[in-house]
Amino acid sequence: MKARVPFTALLPVLLLACLTGCGEEKRGLNEYPVALAEGTYRVVFGQGYEAADEARLLAVTARLDRATNQVVFTLANGSQQVLAFAPRPRSQWQPDCFTMSSHALDEVADLSPAPLRMESLTFLTPLVYAKCTPSRMILVNDIDDMSMFLALDLE
């Protein structure tokens, strides 16, 4: 007669196998760098702003000019905010978009001067990063806190 192991006894072992197999282990993964493309981006969605601001925020564009290391935000009313674009060293880029064999390494750049105000949003320490592709820019205060951000796509 075979001894049967109850499922509840195997559950911790299965969970451990899944967690260690799907964890933060990065050895052996192909890494591909993703730098933001130069050009004009438009806000496509975001979070953390007042509902009344949505139409004005969706009209915002950002022109990334690597030759001058600037991002020029053009607001819905036509006014512009010019910020310095300071890319971080590659060692500070954001790992993202993991697959079974690879992941993106998203470029991160600090913007100044701070704070950056757009309608009901105030970015105290504004930074932008590529989101898995050179044509998606995320504007945020902190990569680890997405409670307030704007996503912009290359036009």
Side-chain angles (χ1 to χ4, degrees):
M1 181 174 198
K2 288 185 175 180
R4 296 180 60 183
V5 177
F7 178 74
T8 54
L10 291 177
L11 188 58
V13 174
L14 292 172
L15 284 174
L16 181 62
C18 285
L19 292 175
T20 57
C22 304
E24 291 296 314
E25 181 65 42
K26 295 178 185 168
R27 286 182 300 214
L29 289 182
N30 294 318
E31 182 176 270
Y32 59 95
V34 179
L36 287 165
E38 185 170 75
T40 302
Y41 293 77
R42 179 171 300 279
V43 173
V44 290
F45 64 92
Q47 184 169 311
Y49 55 84
E50 294 176 10
D53 291 341
E54 185 169 30
R56 289 186 299 277
L57 286 170
L58 290 175
V60 171
T61 61
R63 168 90 181 129
L64 172 57
D65 184 342
R66 287 189 175 275
T68 61
N69 284 327
Q70 291 182 330
V71 176
V72 178
F73 288 95
T74 303
L75 306 183
N77 65 8
S79 65
Q80 293 186 329
Q81 296 185 38
V82 180
L83 287 93
F85 175 82
R88 292 182 180 177
R90 190 168 166 174
S91 62
Q92 295 178 23
W93 287 17
Q94 174 72 20
D96 204 356
C97 302
F98 287 85
T99 69
M100 294 298 285
S101 62
S102 67
H103 71 273
L105 191 60
D106 298 337
E107 178 182 30
V108 179
D110 296 296
L111 302 179
S112 62
L116 170 60
R117 290 186 177 86
M118 289 187 196
E119 303 300 335
S120 58
L121 298 177
T122 300
F123 297 93
L124 298 175
T125 56
L127 62 89
V128 292
Y129 67 94
K131 181 65 177 164
C132 306
T133 174
S135 61
R136 168 68 52 91
M137 176 191 294
I138 305 295
L139 170 62
V140 69
N141 273 320
D142 182 348
I143 292 173
D144 295 324
D145 179 9
M146 296 296 288
S147 62
M148 182 182 71
F149 74 91
L150 291 176
L152 302 94
D153 282 351
L154 192 62
E155 292 184 321

